[in-house]
Amino acid sequence: GENVEQHPSTLSVQEGDSAVIKCTYSDSASNYFPWYKQELGKRPQLIIDIRSNVGEKKDQRIAVTLNKTAKHFSLHITETQPEDSAVYFCAASVGGATNKLIFGTGTLLAVQP
Amino acid sequence: EAGVAQSPRYKIIEKRQSVAFWCNPISGHATLYWYQQILGQGPKLLIQFQNNGVVDDSQLPKDRFSAERLKGVDSTLKIQPAKLEDSAVYLCASSLERGLLNEQFFGPGTRLTVL
């Protein structure tokens, strides 16, 4: 069935460093790839998304890249800050344009001050 | 705008008991989702509604789980009878319309503990 793999499961960086989280997906029809941030005990919140007709998207310190051929997409956070500490989930749409999402297993990012 | 509302926020029950969760989506959002998030995992879609019709319930354990959205607005998710492995956070989400790959907005979730 459809699957999204996410790595690493935990990531610790020093404040100011960059963080990269990688995901791979299995459904070649996937065309929407959102990233959610979930702080402890809080709801997931969308931080950035990308559609399959775009290779890269940037929003201030956050960027996402997509390689459709390899079925890879990545989240890049630059100049990390302690408030970036959270669990990050990638997701991929499946089944065409139904908006059904398959989520990765999450990455716990810890930014050390 | 008001966000997705869910209640209760926490629920503790014993196995074989029944439980129900309620969700009120963002006003005007036609699509509503129920997810199960087990500790340490990503959300897993249980059921997706478009207005009051079911779009996808392929991962809903239908022998014990049921959901409805009778008037195309609020929704309830029920578990009867509950098992230990049902302990999880149940998240409700909504989006504007299926088919347009819109952002899904999540509610705060209901944390269920089955003893």
Side-chain angles (χ1 to χ4, degrees):
Chain A
E2 303 98 356
N3 186 48
V4 174
E5 293 187 359
Q6 183 172 348
H7 299 281
S9 57
T10 60
L11 180 59
S12 182
V13 300
Q14 290 295 124
E15 182 177 358
D17 287 350
S18 296
V20 180
I21 302 170
K22 300 182 179 181
C23 290
T24 60
Y25 60 97
S26 60
D27 186 356
S28 57
S30 295
N31 54 9
Y32 174 61
F33 308 90
W35 285 88
Y36 283 83
K37 176 183 180 182
Q38 187 174 31
E39 297 178 7
L40 187 62
K42 301 286 185 64
R43 71 190 75 190
Q45 292 194 299
L46 182 75
I47 56 171
I48 195 167
D49 57 14
I50 191 168
R51 286 165 169 76
S52 58
N53 58 346
V54 175
E56 184 174 357
K57 183 177 179 180
K58 190 173 181 180
D59 182 3
Q60 298 181 10
R61 296 186 298 108
I62 295 173
V64 57
T65 58
L66 172 64
N67 182 330
K68 288 173 53 182
T69 302
K71 297 181 187 174
H72 288 170
F73 59 113
S74 300
L75 177 71
H76 304 254
I77 305 174
T78 58
E79 301 173 24
T80 53
Q81 301 168 3
E83 51 264 40
D84 294 330
S85 296
V87 178
Y88 291 81
F89 292 99
C90 63
S93 65
V94 295
T98 64
N99 216 29
K100 175 179 177 179
L101 296 178
I102 301 295
F103 282 81
T105 50
T107 296
L108 175 60
L109 174 64
V111 180
Q112 309 297 332
Chain B
E1 66 181 7
V4 177
Q6 289 188 246
S7 68
R9 294 294 313 278
Y10 305 91
K11 191 72 178 179
I12 301 174
I13 62 173
E14 295 189 349
K15 59 183 179 183
R16 292 187 289 274
Q17 286 188 322
S18 302
V19 65
F21 313 128
W22 172 83
C23 173
N24 179 243
I26 293 173
S27 177
H29 281 195
T31 311
L32 184 146
Y33 315 79
W34 282 103
Y35 289 90
Q36 180 192 59
Q37 186 175 25
I38 293 174
L39 186 66
Q41 298 181 19
K44 183 184 83 171
L45 181 69
L46 293 175
I47 189 167
Q48 177 180 346
F49 291 94
Q50 175 75 6
N51 296 309
N52 61 350
V54 175
V55 172
D56 188 312
D57 63 357
S58 57
Q59 297 197 87
L60 187 73
K62 299 180 185 65
D63 58 333
R64 298 184 301 105
F65 286 64
S66 64
E68 60 183 16
R69 193 185 184 199
L70 292 177
K71 297 183 179 179
V73 181
D74 293 4
S75 177
T76 56
L77 176 69
K78 297 179 181 178
I79 308 175
Q80 180 180 13
K83 293 185 175 181
L84 296 177
E85 58 261 37
D86 298 332
S87 294
V89 175
Y90 291 84
L91 293 163
C92 179
S94 69
S95 65
L96 273 173
E97 185 176 342
R98 179 177 72 96
L100 297 180
L101 303 176
N102 290 304
E103 175 181 356
Q104 296 186 21
F105 294 84
F106 284 85
T110 297
R111 182 176 299 276
L112 174 67
T113 301
V114 182
L115 303 175

